[in-house]
Amino acid sequence: MPYTIIEGNIADQETDAIVNAWNRNIIPWFLLLPQGVSGAIKNVAGFEPFRELQRKGPIPLGGAVITGPGKLKCKAIIHVAGISMLWRSSEKAIRACVRSALSLASEHNLGSIGFPLIGAGTGGVKPEDAKRYMLEEFEASGFQGSIVLVLFKKN
């Protein structure tokens, strides 16, 4: 399974899908101020993917749901619940998010997927640890497409 690591903005990726590091989807999105990965996605995609996401209801920790891309170039956004109700992430949650996202990508015949670091930032996991957990899951997966890990780079 090929993967690449780049620096950039997740919303700019030319993959079939991108991953949004989200929350459990219990608090309505309009009461939150999307920041970080979600903010970058909202700035380009608009509000529709987040409205669609809200209609899907709560996401179990480590789970994933798929929505349309809004105004993004990709075919879909896969939203993963990488942080708990206490706004913290963990190795277990990060690994489950990667597996859930790759499973959805396979199920929907998406040939490429862009991931941000999950659990770093708001989730409180050290970026180097989150990266290691994710790369190990990429390598262990049976995903037949290509994976891009996008490390955020400020413009």
Side-chain angles (χ1 to χ4, degrees):
M1 175 291 331
Y3 67 83
T4 56
I5 302 171
I6 64 168
E7 286 187 346
N9 183 328
I10 192 72
D12 295 337
Q13 300 314 300
E14 295 186 11
T15 52
D16 288 345
I18 61 169
V19 172
N20 177 23
W22 193 235
N23 59 54
R24 298 269 331 279
N25 208 36
I26 293 172
I27 300 170
W29 69 271
F30 53 83
L31 294 178
L32 301 170
L33 295 174
Q35 45 192 319
V37 170
S38 297
I41 291 171
K42 181 198 63 73
N43 288 340
V44 179
F47 292 112
E48 187 50 39
F50 293 92
R51 289 184 185 113
E52 184 180 347
L53 174 63
Q54 192 63 42
R55 290 190 295 268
K56 293 184 180 278
I59 306 169
L61 187 61
V65 297
I66 192 167
T67 68
K71 297 175 187 170
L72 289 168
K73 299 177 204 173
C74 61
K75 296 176 183 176
I77 301 172
I78 298 176
H79 308 264
V80 296
I83 55 176
S84 71
M85 295 301 293
L86 300 175
W87 297 94
R88 304 313 291 163
S89 192
S90 67
E91 176 180 352
K92 181 178 178 181
I94 293 166
R95 289 181 183 277
C97 284
V98 171
R99 290 190 300 271
S100 295
L102 291 174
S103 177
L104 268 180
S106 292
E107 181 182 322
H108 289 269
N109 296 313
L110 299 169
S112 58
I113 184 169
F115 279 86
L117 276 182
I118 298 169
T122 303
V125 174
K126 293 179 184 175
E128 60 271 16
D129 291 338
K131 180 179 172 183
R132 179 170 43 87
Y133 306 148
M134 292 180 71
L135 295 180
E136 288 171 358
E137 290 300 323
F138 295 165
E139 290 173 3
S141 80
F143 186 67
Q144 297 299 306
S146 62
I147 300 171
V148 179
L149 178 59
V150 183
L151 305 177
F152 180 72
K153 180 178 181 182
K154 291 183 181 180
N155 294 333

